[in-house]
Amino acid sequence: MELRHLRYFVAVAEELNFTRAAAKLGIGQPPLSQQIRDLETEIGSQLFHRVAHGAELTAAGVAFLAEARISLAAADHAKLAAQRAARGETGRLTLGFTASATFNPAVTTIIRQFRARWPEVALSLIEMNSNWLMEKLSRGELDVAFIRPGLEDPKDVRLKRMADEQMLVALPAGHPLAAQSRVKLASLAGEPFIIFPRNMGLSLYTDILQACKEAGFELTVTQEAPQIPSVVNLVAAGLGVSIVPKSLAKIEIDGVVFRPIEGPPLVARLGIAIMKEQRSPIALNLFGLVQTS
């Protein structure tokens, strides 16, 4: 028994006329009659009484009609479910991000657009540093990740680079440099720096270190913090100064001020990464929302 047999049967049951049912189905009346006879043979019972004005359902036909409609509806539902999954409209997406990325308006806008466009996708969010995100991505434990990339694209990864983000100097509110509208990096020489560990990111630590060298001094790290937002809290506590992405200035914490850097700009890179072999339509949908810088 095939779905076409059920569709043919339902058409005849609704029209109670083989000629009209055949026209509705777009097939000839003789082939339709043969298909119904084949169905009756398989079931082992007559489904229609052939009468002068058309056809009437037998008791077996009445019982079969209700179940045939349920089966056809289930088949249509299954087809729709498969089509929606193939378009990435349903399913689950595991999305990784760095702590600082969540403060960037471009990232939150993309996530909001994704939720609005594909509301039936279950979204799982995982916050980690860029190195760990890349490891999980390579192991297939993440579908997509917002990372702080280095200058070179990671191996076996498709990366869309988003707009660079300006870096700011974070200072305790009572620091003498807090009175300035802009701060030269050279003026931070000898200051105790609070920064996150080198091995937890792909670029920020190295970029800050290099910028300080070019400004004429070696970075003096007195305190490390596992995430950039934690750095801001430690600066507010007066434990040192730091350099952070501009979006971190959104954290409203008493005791810390942010100042632009005077001189050559220092930026934090941002991007979205998926593995090159990624075939999930959901992951590709999110990746496609991101505009390159």
Side-chain angles (χ1 to χ4, degrees), residues 23-45:
K24 180 178 180 180
L25 293 167
I27 64 174
Q29 188 271 326
L32 174 60
S33 296
Q34 183 60 54
Q35 293 293 324
I36 297 299
R37 282 194 293 270
D38 292 344
L39 180 60
E40 291 174 323
T41 299
E42 182 174 350
I43 292 172
S45 178

Side-chain angles (χ1 to χ4, degrees), residues 166-173 175 177-178 180-189 191-194 208 211-212 217 231-232 235 240-246 248-249 256-264 266:
Q166 180 185 355
M167 298 281 276
L168 302 177
V169 176
L171 301 162
H175 196 284
L177 293 175
Q180 300 182 12
S181 60
R182 305 180 73 84
V183 174
K184 293 181 179 181
L185 284 183
S187 64
L188 298 176
E191 292 283 351
F193 263 79
I194 303 167
I208 294 171
C212 290
F217 69 97
V231 170
V232 178
V235 171
V241 304
S242 190
I243 299 174
V244 299
K246 183 179 180 179
L248 269 292
V256 61
V257 297
F258 300 90
R259 295 291 181 262
I261 297 171
E262 183 177 334
L266 178 60

Side-chain angles (χ1 to χ4, degrees), residues 58-68:
T58 64
V62 171
F64 189 70
L65 177 60
E67 298 299 328

Side-chain angles (χ1 to χ4, degrees), residues 213-226:
K213 283 184 178 180
E214 292 175 359
F217 69 97
E218 294 288 334
L219 194 66
T220 303
V221 179
T222 59
Q223 183 67 47
E224 291 186 338

